[in-house]
Amino acid sequence: MMVEGQAETGIGPAIATPRRGGAPAHGRSAVARARRLLHYLPLLPSLFAFLVLLGYPVLLAVVISFQRMGLRELVQRTTVWIGLENYASILADPTFWAVAIRTLAFTAFNVALTMILGTLVALLLGALGRWMRLALSISLILAWATPALTASVIFQWLFDSKFGVVNWALTSVGIFGDYTNHSWFATGLSTFAVISLLIAWQAIPFVAFSLRAGILSVPTEQYEAARVDGATDRAIFRRITVPSLLPLFMILTVLSAIWDFKVFTQIWTVRQGGPAGETVTLAIYAYLKGIAGAQYGLASAVAVVMVVLLALVLIPYIRTMLRTQEDL
Amino acid sequence: VKPRRLRRIAVNAIGLVTIIAFAFPVYWMASTAFKQPGDIQTYVPKFVPFPPTLDNFTTAVTRPHFPDYLRNSLVISISTVVLALVVGLLAAMAVARARFRGRRSFLLLVVVAQMAPFEALLIPMYLVLRQANLLNQIPALILTYFIFTLPFTIWALRGFIAGIPVDLEEAAMVDGANRFQAFWHVVLPLLAPGLVATSIFAFITAWNEFLYAYVLMRDTANFTLPVWLATFRTAFGTDWGGTMAASTLFTLPVLVFFLLIQNRMVGGVTAGAVKG
């Protein structure tokens, strides 16, 4: 998510080089060179943060993934290079494959759920009257603003087997059968269902608001021109609204995929990957291997695999982003 | 006329269901927090907490270490904001106002850092902080959250600064102000709303963060509020009243802050993505 208020206008001549034309064409003086170096001074703290505080751990993750690194190696400060052994042992581990496939399926399901419902809510915002729209906006903001952790705790209370309001409601409606004392966290699939619902509940508002803003920013002249030409509502939606929103839709899908792929807090808070490890995803797997199991080398290899999988969607995304930001 | 009316009723009905679906979990949290102990664990739920009570809140805040958790969360979040804002503002000012070699590469670095999956960096971060003897220390979390929030801070502030016409500064400098005075008296007042929005975003990020706080802090006294809440099952047993009161207290500042900046949250991703 980004905060961005104003449009990127008014990028005039750079104030830091006010005497651009005045410098002599040849033999740049030491003063001029020093002035130019001054531009980099305000960047130094950030560069330090990116290259050292962030870059070093990234590098370390790659390096450690080629080492045997456990508590013993850590305490004795020894380095044991084992080449690709960590990767080999992950790829040979059937649990890893189950976890990886589960993570991809979980991500795909959540993204689809979020995007479909988010689009419907965006359209609903447009169809409602003023007061209903305001009420819906407020309830969406409530869900959006709720911290992931609080949401995870609330959903456990909603889906509590004995006194949960969901079981009471389902039983009262009647057509779903008797849900008295039904345990939602007894099987992996059912636990995932609750977690997916929880993730979608928090992610839909952002998607809906973004799409709604996108719909509103389609130039009205296009609609008017189409209407003058005798286009039906359906044709206008299909020929104008959908194509203009496609880039935005793509961005939202990629962002949702990134967020859902690496989600940790909700899964961990709800059942720590249980029951019986059935809701362990890659993020949880890396945590269990690395922090809980103290197999740092192995966990780093898992992390590297995660980053590579993410990069497959991230690199095209960053490319598109660079293309749309003409200022870059 | 009839089908139109029917459509209107249907749309409003769907609207009402959607409103309830999104608002109810938050309402249920607050409602449970204000309920009498006997009204919480009932087979037929009681929807309105009447007569309301503050007992659950008392239970929550009088749990051992609660003041510690609150203090840790506040110290860490505020330090993160200050650090990210100072460092980020310097860089944002430079990339928004000056043109120099490497500017594009720097911005690319910011974008990549913004996308970095911090969940995957847990292990190396843990090892680095362990080497630096910072495990189980408050500064470890401040440093970590600073790195998390810096890319976004630079990116957002750069956008806000770019929106302020450079002519204003130049006019001030023609009138004899030096560069610092021009910034202080001209840019800063105009930048204030952007600074507030960016700080709130950084604050919420740090306040909500769970994974790193959970892994890096060992002593109970060094926990933050999210870590405390996540372990509510051991902390509160099945005391849903206390749990929901604690959740409400934790969520309230986020809700208030979020409402303040909500308008600015949507634009960023949307900007430039709709073909005009």
Tab-separated table of all heavy atoms in Angstrom, chain B residues 143-168:
chain	number	residue	atom	x	y	z
B	143	LEU	N	15.223	-1.029	14.830
B	143	LEU	CA	16.058	-1.100	13.630
B	143	LEU	C	15.341	-1.876	12.521
B	143	LEU	O	15.308	-1.458	11.360
B	143	LEU	CB	17.364	-1.806	13.989
B	143	LEU	CG	18.595	-1.403	13.205
B	143	LEU	CD1	18.886	0.065	13.409
B	143	LEU	CD2	19.787	-2.243	13.642
B	144	THR	N	14.748	-3.013	12.877
B	144	THR	CA	14.055	-3.841	11.892
B	144	THR	C	12.884	-3.084	11.274
B	144	THR	O	12.733	-3.053	10.053
B	144	THR	CB	13.522	-5.119	12.568
B	144	THR	OG1	14.536	-5.644	13.408
B	144	THR	CG2	13.150	-6.157	11.546
B	145	TYR	N	12.060	-2.476	12.103
B	145	TYR	CA	10.879	-1.769	11.588
B	145	TYR	C	11.296	-0.541	10.788
B	145	TYR	O	10.612	-0.154	9.844
B	145	TYR	CB	9.947	-1.361	12.725
B	145	TYR	CG	9.370	-2.533	13.492
B	145	TYR	CD1	8.729	-2.356	14.705
B	145	TYR	CD2	9.475	-3.830	12.985
B	145	TYR	CE1	8.200	-3.424	15.401
B	145	TYR	CE2	8.956	-4.900	13.679
B	145	TYR	CZ	8.321	-4.696	14.895
B	145	TYR	OH	7.800	-5.755	15.582
B	146	PHE	N	12.406	0.059	11.177
B	146	PHE	CA	12.937	1.191	10.410
B	146	PHE	C	13.230	0.748	8.974
B	146	PHE	O	12.850	1.418	8.012
B	146	PHE	CB	14.191	1.725	11.109
B	146	PHE	CG	15.082	2.566	10.224
B	146	PHE	CD1	14.649	3.784	9.737
B	146	PHE	CD2	16.350	2.127	9.888
B	146	PHE	CE1	15.466	4.554	8.934
B	146	PHE	CE2	17.172	2.889	9.082
B	146	PHE	CZ	16.722	4.101	8.596
B	147	ILE	N	13.868	-0.412	8.829
B	147	ILE	CA	14.169	-0.903	7.476
B	147	ILE	C	12.880	-1.229	6.726
B	147	ILE	O	12.764	-0.974	5.536
B	147	ILE	CB	15.074	-2.159	7.529
B	147	ILE	CG1	16.296	-1.890	8.385
B	147	ILE	CG2	15.499	-2.579	6.141
B	147	ILE	CD1	17.085	-3.130	8.695
B	148	PHE	N	11.884	-1.784	7.444
B	148	PHE	CA	10.604	-2.123	6.806
B	148	PHE	C	9.915	-0.889	6.243
B	148	PHE	O	9.301	-0.936	5.189
B	148	PHE	CB	9.631	-2.736	7.819
B	148	PHE	CG	9.967	-4.125	8.246
B	148	PHE	CD1	11.142	-4.730	7.842
B	148	PHE	CD2	9.096	-4.836	9.066
B	148	PHE	CE1	11.449	-6.008	8.255
B	148	PHE	CE2	9.392	-6.111	9.477
B	148	PHE	CZ	10.560	-6.691	9.071
B	149	THR	N	9.952	0.211	7.031
B	149	THR	CA	9.124	1.358	6.685
B	149	THR	C	9.851	2.390	5.837
B	149	THR	O	9.216	3.225	5.213
B	149	THR	CB	8.597	2.051	7.958
B	149	THR	OG1	9.698	2.268	8.836
B	149	THR	CG2	7.560	1.226	8.658
B	150	LEU	N	11.195	2.329	5.810
B	150	LEU	CA	11.951	3.363	5.097
B	150	LEU	C	11.614	3.453	3.600
B	150	LEU	O	11.365	4.558	3.100
B	150	LEU	CB	13.461	3.160	5.312
B	150	LEU	CG	14.327	4.236	4.653
B	150	LEU	CD1	14.082	5.588	5.283
B	150	LEU	CD2	15.805	3.873	4.732
B	151	PRO	N	11.597	2.333	2.845
B	151	PRO	CA	11.337	2.456	1.403
B	151	PRO	C	10.013	3.166	1.124
B	151	PRO	O	9.936	4.082	0.329
B	151	PRO	CB	11.266	1.009	0.922
B	151	PRO	CG	11.830	0.173	1.984
B	151	PRO	CD	11.771	0.933	3.262
B	152	PHE	N	9.004	2.743	1.856
B	152	PHE	CA	7.698	3.342	1.674
B	152	PHE	C	7.716	4.833	2.029
B	152	PHE	O	7.130	5.660	1.334
B	152	PHE	CB	6.684	2.606	2.540
B	152	PHE	CG	5.439	3.368	2.727
B	152	PHE	CD1	4.491	3.367	1.722
B	152	PHE	CD2	5.238	4.132	3.850
B	152	PHE	CE1	3.352	4.116	1.862
B	152	PHE	CE2	4.104	4.877	3.997
B	152	PHE	CZ	3.156	4.870	2.993
B	153	THR	N	8.405	5.164	3.130
B	153	THR	CA	8.479	6.561	3.568
B	153	THR	C	9.117	7.431	2.484
B	153	THR	O	8.602	8.504	2.158
B	153	THR	CB	9.294	6.660	4.876
B	153	THR	OG1	8.729	5.758	5.821
B	153	THR	CG2	9.266	8.059	5.437
B	154	ILE	N	10.236	6.964	1.937
B	154	ILE	CA	10.909	7.734	0.882
B	154	ILE	C	9.979	7.904	-0.307
B	154	ILE	O	9.801	9.003	-0.835
B	154	ILE	CB	12.209	7.014	0.430
B	154	ILE	CG1	13.208	6.945	1.569
B	154	ILE	CG2	12.814	7.720	-0.782
B	154	ILE	CD1	14.469	6.171	1.229
B	155	TRP	N	9.357	6.798	-0.716
B	155	TRP	CA	8.509	6.810	-1.905
B	155	TRP	C	7.347	7.786	-1.737
B	155	TRP	O	7.046	8.588	-2.626
B	155	TRP	CB	8.008	5.395	-2.183
B	155	TRP	CG	7.427	5.236	-3.538
B	155	TRP	CD1	6.106	5.156	-3.857
B	155	TRP	CD2	8.143	5.145	-4.770
B	155	TRP	NE1	5.959	5.019	-5.201
B	155	TRP	CE2	7.183	5.018	-5.791
B	155	TRP	CE3	9.499	5.177	-5.106
B	155	TRP	CZ2	7.534	4.898	-7.135
B	155	TRP	CZ3	9.847	5.062	-6.442
B	155	TRP	CH2	8.869	4.926	-7.436
B	156	ALA	N	6.693	7.711	-0.597
B	156	ALA	CA	5.521	8.563	-0.362
B	156	ALA	C	5.930	10.030	-0.250
B	156	ALA	O	5.336	10.896	-0.887
B	156	ALA	CB	4.801	8.105	0.900
B	157	LEU	N	6.972	10.314	0.543
B	157	LEU	CA	7.390	11.709	0.735
B	157	LEU	C	7.857	12.326	-0.578
B	157	LEU	O	7.599	13.492	-0.855
B	157	LEU	CB	8.497	11.795	1.789
B	157	LEU	CG	8.051	11.563	3.228
B	157	LEU	CD1	9.230	11.650	4.172
B	157	LEU	CD2	6.985	12.580	3.625
B	158	ARG	N	8.530	11.522	-1.388
B	158	ARG	CA	8.978	11.999	-2.685
B	158	ARG	C	7.777	12.470	-3.509
B	158	ARG	O	7.819	13.522	-4.148
B	158	ARG	CB	9.718	10.873	-3.407
B	158	ARG	CG	9.865	11.086	-4.887
B	158	ARG	CD	10.442	9.832	-5.519
B	158	ARG	NE	10.173	9.792	-6.937
B	158	ARG	CZ	9.067	9.304	-7.475
B	158	ARG	NH1	8.123	8.793	-6.705
B	158	ARG	NH2	8.895	9.311	-8.769
B	159	GLY	N	6.689	11.708	-3.465
B	159	GLY	CA	5.473	12.095	-4.172
B	159	GLY	C	4.895	13.396	-3.640
B	159	GLY	O	4.512	14.271	-4.403
B	160	PHE	N	4.864	13.523	-2.315
B	160	PHE	CA	4.315	14.741	-1.719
B	160	PHE	C	5.162	15.961	-2.074
B	160	PHE	O	4.638	17.025	-2.391
B	160	PHE	CB	4.228	14.603	-0.198
B	160	PHE	CG	3.152	13.655	0.255
B	160	PHE	CD1	3.453	12.561	1.048
B	160	PHE	CD2	1.829	13.852	-0.116
B	160	PHE	CE1	2.461	11.685	1.470
B	160	PHE	CE2	0.829	12.987	0.297
B	160	PHE	CZ	1.142	11.901	1.086
B	161	ILE	N	6.492	15.804	-2.000
B	161	ILE	CA	7.379	16.937	-2.290
B	161	ILE	C	7.255	17.338	-3.754
B	161	ILE	O	7.185	18.524	-4.086
B	161	ILE	CB	8.842	16.595	-1.945
B	161	ILE	CG1	8.986	16.380	-0.440
B	161	ILE	CG2	9.782	17.711	-2.398
B	161	ILE	CD1	10.318	15.795	-0.037
B	162	ALA	N	7.174	16.341	-4.633
B	162	ALA	CA	7.052	16.639	-6.061
B	162	ALA	C	5.790	17.441	-6.342
B	162	ALA	O	5.729	18.180	-7.328
B	162	ALA	CB	7.065	15.344	-6.866
B	163	GLY	N	4.775	17.292	-5.470
B	163	GLY	CA	3.531	18.022	-5.671
B	163	GLY	C	3.596	19.478	-5.248
B	163	GLY	O	2.673	20.247	-5.492
B	164	ILE	N	4.690	19.868	-4.577
B	164	ILE	CA	4.835	21.265	-4.147
B	164	ILE	C	5.650	22.012	-5.214
B	164	ILE	O	6.779	21.631	-5.481
B	164	ILE	CB	5.556	21.346	-2.781
B	164	ILE	CG1	4.753	20.586	-1.731
B	164	ILE	CG2	5.758	22.798	-2.367
B	164	ILE	CD1	5.470	20.422	-0.417
B	165	PRO	N	5.078	23.052	-5.819
B	165	PRO	CA	5.797	23.746	-6.894
B	165	PRO	C	7.146	24.277	-6.433
B	165	PRO	O	7.251	24.892	-5.368
B	165	PRO	CB	4.863	24.912	-7.245
B	165	PRO	CG	3.534	24.511	-6.735
B	165	PRO	CD	3.773	23.637	-5.555
B	166	VAL	N	8.165	24.026	-7.233
B	166	VAL	CA	9.518	24.423	-6.871
B	166	VAL	C	9.669	25.944	-6.928
B	166	VAL	O	10.523	26.527	-6.265
B	166	VAL	CB	10.541	23.701	-7.775
B	166	VAL	CG1	10.546	24.294	-9.160
B	166	VAL	CG2	11.925	23.718	-7.171
B	167	ASP	N	8.789	26.618	-7.683
B	167	ASP	CA	8.843	28.083	-7.811
B	167	ASP	C	8.779	28.767	-6.456
B	167	ASP	O	9.387	29.819	-6.251
B	167	ASP	CB	7.662	28.614	-8.643
B	167	ASP	CG	7.454	27.832	-9.917
B	167	ASP	OD1	8.067	26.755	-10.039
B	167	ASP	OD2	6.685	28.294	-10.770
B	168	LEU	N	7.987	28.161	-5.535
B	168	LEU	CA	7.813	28.793	-4.232
B	168	LEU	C	9.155	28.924	-3.516
B	168	LEU	O	9.478	29.959	-2.944
B	168	LEU	CB	6.843	27.975	-3.375
B	168	LEU	CG	5.410	27.888	-3.909
B	168	LEU	CD1	4.568	26.990	-3.024
B	168	LEU	CD2	4.803	29.286	-3.967
